[in-house]
Amino acid sequence: MKRLQHPFAILYNLRQFIWALIIPLARGLVLALSDGGVASWLSGAWIDLVTLLGMLLLSLLMWMAYSYEVDETGLSVRCGLIVHTSIFLPARQIATLSAVHAFYLRPFGAVRLRADTLAGSRERADLSLFVSKEEAKAILDGRVAELRSGTLSRRYRPRSLYVAALAAFSSSSFAGMIFLATLISRTGELLGAEFKSRVYGTFERVTQLLAFGIPPAAAALAYILLFGWLVAFSINFIRHKNLVVRRRGGALHIRGGVFTSREYVVAADQLNYLDIRQTVLSFFLRFCTVHINAVGYSKYSDDVSGVIPAVRVRDAARTLGLVFPEWKPAPRQLRHNWGALFKFIGDASWGCVLIPAATFFLRWLLPSWSGFVGWVGFMLCFPAYWFLMIRLIDYFTSGIARDGDRLTLHYSSGYYLHTIILPIDRIAWVCLRQSPIQAMDKKCDVLIYSYAEHSTRHHIRNLDRQAVQEMLGLEL
Amino acid sequence: MIAKRRGPFRLPRRALLLWRVRVTLCALPAPVLVALFFADSSVWRRVLSGVWIAAYLFFFLFFYPVMYRKLSFASNGHSFVVHCGVFYNRIKAMEIRNIQHVTCTASPLEKAMGLCTLFVWGAGGLIRVPSMDAGDARALSGGWGARL
């Protein structure tokens, strides 16, 4: 049965016609410049009203022209006023169906439903529409019932402490800083420039008070990073609070969030890979987090990202077995030779040498900035040496294993250690890369590109080429 | 030939000829531009002439011959494998069931020499084989069920 979207879509469609507001704005500007007066402005207000009514009418027509139908074969949508479009997503191709209960939609009783397949844009869901809460529940329950086969039924609900750990490990100071800066700037635009100057002035006074002998500019930088991290941590914690993961046969049902509740139904056979992730800190604390890679899951920056937020390494196999019993990490079978140390720490060492050298040089060159440069150089050394530490841990842990039709890849990327469990049929293509020095040693770097909307590369360093070819069946 | 054998197959000799002709055509404007813009400065003229001549000889005598010698490809019923690279050796492999589609493009020079560049598109990746024999490209992709 064809249905129309939730009426909230009429308001949402208005954003496409925001350009039409230029008519009343231009009229107001012309009148202001010509000194026409309030009476003159009012006499032409009908133009503004007509423009706004026109926008509303177009939004309403777009809403009436947009209909959808959901059944066991798939999801079909018809839309378009002038150019009619029909879209059909077969049920077997839908990897992820998600429902976002945003706090601003709750007063309207609306939910944003998204459906995603392997094709289409990697930045946006293939289909996105507004439905009522009851309709969203019925569609998601129907999807779970479709995918549910077999008797497997498990539920995992992590403790708040583990959610806080995930938020702590995955928070970025820069993301928090950008959010805070945007918030202050936008609020300043609404409340006036005085608000902005008060906030920045207060920050400046607090920084000077709490500088503790450090140059105030450097202290300001450090506090900005700290506040940024705190903001990002709070956002991540709120996003992942109330996380529940349910496995029912072939359906993975994930729900999380406080103010905005997000719900996902992922087809278990459409998972691309499982990613067990650690940072340096979590490695030494013997914790890890588990993420899944599936089309449509964790696509947007405000989506729920992990499925198991934090678990002790010794409990990881048991917890994975609860929700993902068919996904078992295998111990390393192929690993690099011990002489490959420089291959791992070579590029990480550059920062560790160049940053202190540049700091000493700049302090000699600019003696009046010596304190600031010294402090900033000291702070910049932290990420450089942190990266070196990750690479050292990678040197002791990286490798590949094969267990039937699944590969387990151990490697590092950026500031994370990854253990990837990847089905062989989810490999898009493989590249074995040999430098001239590796050619003499008969070693190679293995680059595995996994099957997804966009290419995801897994890079394992310095393995024996012949052994890799035998393991992956690349001998010709 | 390709339809009956597994491989590995090499590119035809005229592929190397094509690349050399291409680099020669690209290098032709260089002396003209140097003479035009640096007529008054003999030092710059000599330096830039040395640079373009060195670059041309590098590609003509070293880069393309090595690339030609190292490039080979093979296909069984399971996967398509390409060996390539100049400074770094690369083996690129894609399972045949992951191949989404295949395209073949030919520049006017390639067309005149009966060559084409094969692009094999997978979900999340692309493998490119430059300057293949056009007949071989058709036979190879035909074996995968694609028609070119």
Side-chain angles (χ1 to χ4, degrees), chain A residues 122 428-429 448-457, chain B residues 123-126:
Chain A
R122 62 188 246 199
W429 61 291
I448 297 177
Y449 294 80
S450 55
Y451 203 82
E453 275 176 309
H454 62 278
S455 156
T456 310
R457 193 178 84 164
Chain B
L126 159 69

Side-chain angles (χ1 to χ4, degrees), chain A residues 221-234:
Chain A
L221 190 61
Y223 283 122
I224 286 171
L225 288 172
L226 178 63
F227 289 144
W229 181 85
L230 277 172
V231 166
F233 168 79
S234 308

Side-chain angles (χ1 to χ4, degrees), chain A residues 117-140:
Chain A
T117 66
L118 193 62
S121 166
R122 62 188 246 199
E123 277 90 30
R124 293 189 320 270
D126 294 340
L127 268 183
S128 177
L129 56 149
F130 292 96
V131 297
S132 65
K133 221 165 67 164
E134 297 74 25
E135 181 70 14
K137 186 175 184 318
I139 293 171
L140 287 178

Side-chain angles (χ1 to χ4, degrees), chain A residues 35-58:
Chain A
D35 198 25
V38 173
S40 177
W41 179 81
L42 271 176
S43 68
W46 64 272
I47 301 173
D48 302 342
L49 281 171
V50 165
T51 309
L52 286 170
L53 277 172
M55 286 165 66
L56 261 172
L57 184 66
L58 280 170

